Amino acid sequence: MFLERSMPTSDLRRFLPSARRACASLVASVLVLGLTMTTAGATPVQATPPGRMGTVVQAANETLDRTFVQEGMPSARGGQLVSWGDQSGGSTTQALPDGVHATAVSTDHDRVLVLRTDGRVDLHQYDTSPYSLEPLPAPSNGTRYMAVSAVSGRILRSDGVVVSLQGRPEITPPDGLAYTAISGELALRSDGVLSNPGNPDGSCADVRDPGAGPHYTAVSARTGLENWAALRSDGALVYCQDAFAESTAAVVDPPAGTRFVGVDMGVDEAIGATADGRVISTNGRQLAAAPTGRSIVSLAAMSNGQGAAALDDGTIISWGLNGQDAAPPVIPAGRDVFSAVSGYSSSGQHWAIVVGDPIPVEVSVDVSVSTDSSGPMERPTRVTDIVALKVSATLDGGAPVPGRVTTTVIAPDGKTHTLEPEQTYRGTAEVELYPWDHEQVGTYVLSTAFSGSPYTVSPVETTVDLAEPSPVVVTTTGPDTWYENSTRTLCFELSTTDGSPLWLRSTEQIRITVDGRPDLIQFGEFHRECVDRLDLDPGTYTLHYDYEGWSEVDSVAWSKQVVVLPPVATRIESDLPSSWHYGEMPASVEVDVFSDSSVPAGITTLELDRLTIGYGSRLDGGGHSQIRITDEDELAPGTYAMVVRFRADDNFRDASLERTVTVRPASFTTTPPTITGTPQIGSTLTAVPGTWSPAPTSTGYVWKVDGVAVAGATSSTFTVPASAAGKRITVTVTGDRQYYNTGSATSAPTATVAPTTFTAAPIPAVKGTAQVGKTLTVTRGTWSPAPSSVKYVWKANGTTISTQTSSSFVVPTSAKGKRLTVTVTGSRTGYTTRSVTSPATRTVAAGTFSARRPAIKGTTRVGSTLTVVRGTWTPAPSALKYVWKANGVTIATRTSSTFVVPARARGKQLTVTVTGARAGYTSKSVASYRTATIR
C-alpha cells in the first residue's frame, strides 16, 4: 500500500531535495482522461520529461513544497502526527518529545511507523488501547533512518541498508549501489531496479529489472498478496497483480499531456497521482482531482476504491469516504496544513502530519464521589468512598480532542502511585479511584496528565480531603429459633451511620462463628448475611458476628444464643393411578401430606426418572395439594417409576411416595367400512374405511370372496374377478398408529355377483379375395373384456362349411360360386357367450393356377426318350395332359411326362404343352421352349 520514492547512492540527505524536484509534476491546462494499458515490457508511450517545479504556495501562513512525497518518505515540512476519520475507539498515538517533529508516516492494519526529525523511528501498536509507544533502537554507525515501511516492518538507513524494526540489517545493497526506497518485500535500488533478495522469483520477477529501458523511481507493495505498483522514469506505472498460481504485470500509461508523479498500493488496487492533479486507479477509473492549480503532494490508497490525498496548499481531499470515516482531524483553525496523509482501511482511523509544533489544549478535572443519592452529599468524603474524576480535553474553541489521561495519586505521606491510563471518548475520560487507591486519612494530590499527538498540555493538579470511615452498626432480622436445614434463620445487615460505603477488602472481614469452634465459620461476602450455610445440627448454640473494618471506629462485634430444632417427619398419600392407556395420562393428581403434629407446609412435585413432569400448588390449610402434569408429550407404552415428592418448609422433613406406573397401548374407535360400486364381474369396487378415532397413520385392506381372501387385493379398490360370479364380497380395513393396538373393521357383504356381458363385440370383417384357394382373414375388432376363447364358423350361402379357432381360412373348392360369411363366437368365465356375424363376401370365383414353363430333358434324336420337367404348379393339378408338337404341328397327346421321339420328327424342332386341371380351378396350359433339331 505504501510507496517510497528512490534515493541515490551518495549522500542521501543531500539528495532528497533534488530528487523531489526531479519528480515534480507538470500542470496540465486541460484535464483529459486517456488511460491506456499495455503488456509489461512493451515499448511505453513516451511522455514529455517534467520541468523543474520550484514553486511553493502560501496557505494558512505555511509554505509547502509542491513536489510529491511518497508515503513513508520524509516531507520537506515536519510536524505532528494527527489521527482523523472514525475515532469512535478514541485511540491516538503519543506525542513526540519537545523539539522533535514527525517527517514521515507509514501505516499497516496493526501498527503505525513515524520517522522523526532526530533520525529515529517510533512504533505505535494498534492492538493495544491506548496505543503503546515503542521507540525503536537508534540507528548504528552514525547513520540516520531515512524512510519507513509499516507493511513489511522495515526501515531504510542513510547508508542504503534496509534493517528490521530491531535495527538488524536485512537487505544489504550490492557494492557501489544503495537502496533508495522500500515497500513490502521490495526495495528500490539506486540503479532503478526493484529487488527482492528474500524471494528473487516472486511476483512479476521478469519486469522488476527494466534493463536499458526507463528505470523505476518509486515502488509500493503489499506483503501478503505480493501485489505491487512502481513509478517509471517515463511517467508510466507498472502494476503487478499476483494471482497465486502466476502473476501478471501491465503498464498503465498516463493520460495525454501529463505523467504519473506518485503511486500508492491499496488493499485491492493501486492508484497514481498525475502531474495535473488527478488520482487514477489501475483499473482505469478517475477517483478524484485537485482543484485547478493545486498539486498532490501525498497519496493514501485504502480499501474498496477509497482513499485520500494531501495537496500543496496543506488541505486534504478524500474520495469514497463518508460519515465518521471522512471526519477531518481535530485541530484549531489556521493550523490545518498537512504535509502527508496515510491510511490502511477505508473505515477507522487515518493519519496525517500537521505542520508545526504541538497544539495546546485545555484540560479540566471535575472531582466527585460515587453515591446512590442524586442530591448533594452532606457528609465528608471518606477513605471508603470511590472518588471519580471527569477529565475533559478541548481546543481553545471548545472542540473535544482525542488522547489519553494518566492520573498520579500522591498520598498524605508523600507516597505516589499511578493509575491505569484511560482513553478519552469525545474529549472526555472517566477515572475512578477506589478505596485501596487512598487508604490514608488526609489530603491527596491528584496530578492528571493528558497526552496524545499532536496535542500538548501541562499536568492539572486537584486535591481531595478524605476522612476516616463512619461508625458501623449491625442489625439482625429473623428468628433465634429455627428448624434444621431451614432457610429462615437469623440474618445480619451492616450499615454505616451516615450512609457512606463500608470498608470491604476481603471476604474474611465478616466472620460468623458458633461457640468459637473453628470448624463452624462462615465468611460474609455482602452487607447482608444469614446463618443458613453453617448446617447446624439440632441443639443450642452461641453465635458470634464480627466485622473488621478500616479501623476500630468502623469495626463491630455481636453475639447471641440460638436454638436449632429437629424437623418433623411427614408422609404422602396420592390418587396417582398405577396404570392407564396411552393418551389417557391424567392432567393432575391429588396429594395429601400428613405429619404427627401440625399441618405441614411446602410444595409437591411429580418426578419421572428424576425429571420433574408436574408441579403442585402449595399445601392448603388441610395439607392438600394438586399437581398439574405439565409434560406435553404422552408417555409411550411401558413401565415407569414415578415419585410424588413433598419439599417441606422450615420445620418439616421432605417426603416421597414411589409408584410403578404401567402405560398400555390405546385402542381405536371405529365404524364398519362400506363398499361402493356394482358387484358385477369386471366392475371396480371401492372401500370407504369408515370413521377412525384417532386417524391411523397407515391403513391396510383385505378383500374377500365368500370369506376367502383374494391374493394381492390389498388396496382400497378391487376389480371383481370372474371367479366371483355367484358369490358375495367383503372388505376388512386395518389401521396402525404408534402406541395403539392394531385395529380392524369388516364391511357388510355385497349382493351376489352376477355374470355380465361383453360391453363391446364389433361386427367382424373378412379381409382377402373371395376366390378358391385364397386365404381369408377375420378381423374381429376389440372385445371388452377380451374373450378367453374364440370360435370362427364359416358358411357358404348360409350352410356351414368349416368351424375353427383360427382367424384365417382357405377358401375350399366347394365354395365356388357361393358367398361366404363368418360368425365369431366369444366366451369368458362369468360372461354370457356372444356371437357376431360378418357381412357376406362377393361370390367366390374359380381358382387359378400358378405354373412355371415346362422344360424338355433328354437327347434330341429319333428313338430317344424325352422327359418333361413341368416345374412347380400352385396348387397341384389333379389331372395333366402333355401335347407334343413338331414345328408347331401336334404329333402326340400323352398323360405321361415321357415321350419316345418318332422318325417323322427328324429334322424338326419339338415343343410340349402341359395342361393342368383341378375341380374349382380354371384349366391352364403352359408350353415349353423348342428343342434342338431332331437328328
Side-chain angles (χ1 to χ4, degrees):
M1 170 179 180
F2 310 118
L3 304 175
E4 293 80 9
R5 60 175 184 157
S6 62
M7 292 182 289
T9 55
S10 60
D11 188 359
L12 297 176
R13 295 175 60 189
R14 292 186 293 104
F15 173 82
L16 288 174
S18 61
R20 294 192 185 97
R21 290 192 297 272
C23 294
S25 60
L26 289 174
V27 179
S29 59
V30 181
L31 298 179
V32 180
L33 181 63
L35 188 69
T36 61
M37 299 185 70
T38 61
T39 303
T43 303
V45 176
Q46 296 298 320
T48 302
R52 295 179 60 85
M53 301 294 294
T55 306
V56 294
V57 298
Q58 185 78 18
N61 299 319
E62 296 288 349
T63 57
L64 295 179
D65 191 338
R66 299 185 65 175
T67 304
F68 188 92
V69 178
Q70 302 296 332
E71 185 170 348
M73 295 289 289
S75 60
R77 294 299 307 273
Q80 309 300 311
L81 187 66
V82 60
S83 62
W84 59 285
D86 183 5
Q87 301 194 39
S88 59
S91 299
T92 186
T93 58
Q94 294 187 33
L96 293 172
D98 290 342
V100 177
H101 285 182
T103 62
V105 58
S106 180
T107 57
D108 192 18
H109 70 283
D110 59 355
R111 59 191 170 195
V112 179
L113 287 179
V114 179
L115 180 63
R116 305 178 353 177
T117 53
D118 59 2
R120 302 193 64 170
V121 172
D122 284 345
L123 168 63
H124 299 274
Q125 297 287 358
Y126 268 54
D127 54 1
T128 59
S129 182
Y131 289 170
S132 64
L133 169 63
E134 182 181 347
L136 300 182
S140 59
N141 303 324
T143 61
R144 295 169 59 87
Y145 288 138
M146 302 301 297
V148 292
S149 177
V151 171
S152 59
R154 289 176 173 175
I155 309 173
L156 180 62
R157 279 194 329 216
S158 56
D159 58 359
V161 177
V162 179
V163 299
S164 67
L165 297 183
Q166 292 73 35
R168 294 190 297 268
E170 291 197 346
I171 306 177
T172 301
D175 291 341
L177 297 174
Y179 289 114
T180 62
I182 54 174
S183 186
E185 302 298 327
L186 296 178
L188 179 60
R189 288 197 325 228
S190 54
D191 58 357
V193 174
L194 294 177
S195 176
N196 186 355
N199 185 13
D201 297 326
S203 58
C204 303
D206 56 329
V207 299
R208 294 207 302 261
D209 186 347
H215 59 277
Y216 292 114
T217 60
V219 63
S220 178
R222 294 192 56 77
T223 303
L225 298 178
E226 296 193 8
N227 296 344
W228 57 268
L231 180 66
R232 276 194 335 203
S233 57
D234 61 356
L237 289 181
V238 176
Y239 176 53
C240 175
Q241 183 173 11
D242 183 71
F244 300 102
E246 61 181 28
S247 54
T248 57
V251 174
V252 182
D253 293 313
T258 187
R259 60 188 288 119
F260 285 113
V261 296
V263 65
D264 197 16
M265 187 74 223
V267 173
D268 40 30
E269 65 180 348
I271 61 176
T274 64
D276 57 4
R278 282 181 271 184
V279 178
I280 300 174
S281 74
T282 49
N283 61 22
R285 296 180 301 134
Q286 179 171 310
L287 302 176
T292 303
R294 297 272 66 86
S295 297
I296 297 173
V297 299
S298 179
L299 198 59
M302 301 176 191
S303 59
N304 304 316
Q306 299 159 327
L311 306 183
D312 58 357
D313 61 357
T315 60
I316 295 175
I317 63 172
S318 64
W319 54 92
L321 302 175
N322 51 53
Q324 289 297 320
D325 294 333
V330 182
I331 56 176
R335 286 294 305 272
D336 51 351
V337 176
F338 305 97
S339 60
V341 65
S342 179
Y344 175 82
S345 173
S346 58
S347 61
Q349 288 177 276
H350 320 306
W351 306 94
I353 294 178
V354 56
V355 174
D357 295 326
I359 299 169
V361 298
E362 297 179 359
V363 173
S364 61
V365 180
D366 181 21
V367 181
S368 62
V369 175
S370 298
T371 65
D372 295 333
S373 174
S374 59
M377 188 175 65
E378 298 179 354
R379 62 171 178 81
T381 304
R382 301 188 181 277
V383 294
T384 57
D385 280 313
I386 297 176
V387 179
L389 303 182
K390 183 178 181 180
V391 183
S392 299
T394 60
L395 296 177
D396 186 31
V401 296
R404 65 175 178 177
V405 173
T406 304
T407 300
T408 300
V409 181
I410 306 174
D413 61 0
K415 294 182 179 179
T416 65
H417 67 277
T418 303
L419 304 180
E420 286 292 327
E422 296 289 342
Q423 199 72 28
T424 61
Y425 178 69
R426 295 181 179 176
T428 300
E430 300 287 345
V431 180
E432 289 188 326
L433 286 75
Y434 294 93
W436 46 87
D437 292 323
H438 49 71
E439 297 184 2
Q440 300 177 31
V441 172
T443 299
Y444 286 79
V445 178
L446 309 179
S447 178
T448 302
F450 173 87
S451 64
S453 179
Y455 313 109
T456 180
V457 65
S458 300
V460 177
E461 289 191 353
T462 54
T463 60
V464 58
D465 294 325
L466 299 181
E468 63 181 11
S470 167
V472 173
V473 295
V474 58
T475 304
T476 62
T477 58
D480 55 12
T481 299
W482 62 84
Y483 287 90
E484 183 182 13
N485 299 326
S486 174
T487 58
R488 296 178 57 192
T489 61
L490 188 62
C491 296
F492 305 89
E493 185 169 357
L494 281 175
S495 62
T496 59
T497 57
D498 64 356
S500 60
L502 291 167
W503 179 264
L504 292 177
R505 290 295 303 273
S506 71
T507 57
E508 296 187 6
Q509 286 180 248
I510 299 176
R511 177 177 299 190
I512 303 174
T513 58
V514 180
D515 293 336
R517 291 169 51 182
D519 59 324
L520 294 176
I521 298 177
Q522 176 175 314
F523 295 107
E525 297 181 359
F526 306 101
H527 296 175
R528 178 180 172 84
E529 292 296 333
C530 299
V531 191
D532 56 358
R533 292 182 290 161
L534 290 176
D535 194 20
L536 298 177
D537 296 329
T540 301
Y541 303 90
T542 299
L543 285 182
H544 298 273
Y545 178 91
D546 295 282
Y547 164 69
E548 182 181 355
W550 181 81
S551 66
E552 292 184 1
V553 70
D554 63 337
S555 299
V556 67
W558 177 98
S559 64
K560 186 176 184 179
Q561 192 173 69
V562 297
V563 177
V564 179
L565 302 174
V568 178
T570 59
R571 67 182 186 278
I572 297 176
E573 293 182 3
S574 174
D575 66 349
L576 176 67
S578 61
S579 66
W580 59 75
H581 289 283
Y582 174 76
E584 299 176 359
M585 185 167 67
S588 62
V589 295
E590 305 296 325
V591 179
D592 290 287
V593 183
F594 305 93
S595 72
D596 293 337
S597 59
S598 59
V599 177
I603 60 173
T604 56
T605 56
L606 179 63
E607 295 180 358
L608 170 65
D609 294 336
R610 297 184 180 181
L611 295 177
T612 301
I613 63 171
Y615 295 88
S617 59
R618 293 190 65 84
L619 298 186
D620 60 16
H624 180 77
S625 175
Q626 184 183 64
I627 299 177
R628 295 188 180 276
I629 300 177
T630 59
D631 195 284
E632 296 180 358
D633 296 325
E634 290 283 352
L635 295 178
T639 300
Y640 301 91
M642 289 191 173
V643 179
V644 180
R645 195 174 300 282
F646 168 63
R647 291 181 173 85
D649 289 353
D650 296 345
N651 55 321
F652 295 95
R653 291 189 184 275
D654 294 349
S656 62
L657 172 65
E658 297 182 2
R659 182 161 294 173
T660 299
V661 173
T662 301
V663 179
R664 298 183 175 87
S667 298
F668 291 103
T669 300
T670 64
T671 60
T674 57
I675 298 175
T676 61
T678 303
Q680 188 176 21
I681 302 300
S683 67
T684 298
L685 303 180
T686 301
V688 179
T691 302
W692 290 66
S693 180
T697 55
S698 63
T699 305
Y701 301 87
V702 178
W703 292 89
K704 297 180 181 180
V705 177
D706 275 0
V708 178
V710 179
T714 57
S715 69
S716 60
T717 59
F718 177 65
T719 301
V720 180
S723 60
K727 302 175 183 178
R728 298 168 65 135
I729 298 173
T730 60
V731 65
T732 298
V733 181
T734 59
D736 287 299
R737 185 183 178 99
Q738 189 179 29
Y739 307 141
Y740 278 75
N741 294 314
T742 300
S744 65
T746 301
S747 70
T750 64
T752 301
V753 176
T756 188
T757 60
F758 292 100
T759 59
I763 301 299
V766 178
K767 304 294 183 181
T769 303
Q771 187 179 25
V772 173
K774 294 292 186 178
T775 299
L776 303 178
T777 302
V778 179
T779 302
R780 73 168 189 262
T782 302
W783 288 52
S784 181
S788 57
S789 64
V790 179
K791 181 173 67 174
Y792 301 87
V793 178
W794 292 88
K795 295 181 181 180
N797 288 353
T799 301
T800 300
I801 60 175
S802 176
T803 300
Q804 55 191 54
T805 59
S806 173
S807 62
S808 61
F809 175 65
V810 179
V811 179
T813 301
S814 60
K816 179 182 176 184
K818 302 175 182 178
R819 300 179 71 183
L820 299 176
T821 61
V822 63
T823 299
V824 180
T825 301
S827 302
R828 185 183 176 96
T829 302
Y831 287 78
T832 303
T833 300
R834 184 168 184 176
S835 298
V836 287
T837 302
S838 71
T841 67
R842 294 180 179 181
T843 301
V844 175
T848 59
F849 288 105
S850 172
R852 296 175 64 87
R853 184 184 295 275
I856 300 173
K857 302 296 184 180
T859 305
T860 54
R861 181 182 295 173
V862 173
S864 65
T865 299
L866 300 178
T867 301
V868 178
V869 180
R870 72 170 187 268
T872 302
W873 286 59
T874 304
S878 58
L880 290 170
K881 181 174 66 172
Y882 301 90
V883 179
W884 292 89
K885 295 180 181 182
N887 288 351
V889 178
T890 300
I891 59 173
T893 299
R894 301 280 190 274
T895 59
S896 172
S897 62
T898 61
F899 175 66
V900 178
V901 180
R904 65 178 179 273
R906 189 185 304 275
K908 301 177 181 178
Q909 292 179 321
L910 298 179
T911 63
V912 63
T913 299
V914 180
T915 301
R918 183 184 177 96
Y921 283 79
T922 303
S923 297
K924 186 178 181 70
S925 297
V926 185
S928 70
Y929 293 108
R930 291 184 179 188
T931 65
T933 302
I934 302 298
R935 300 190 301 274

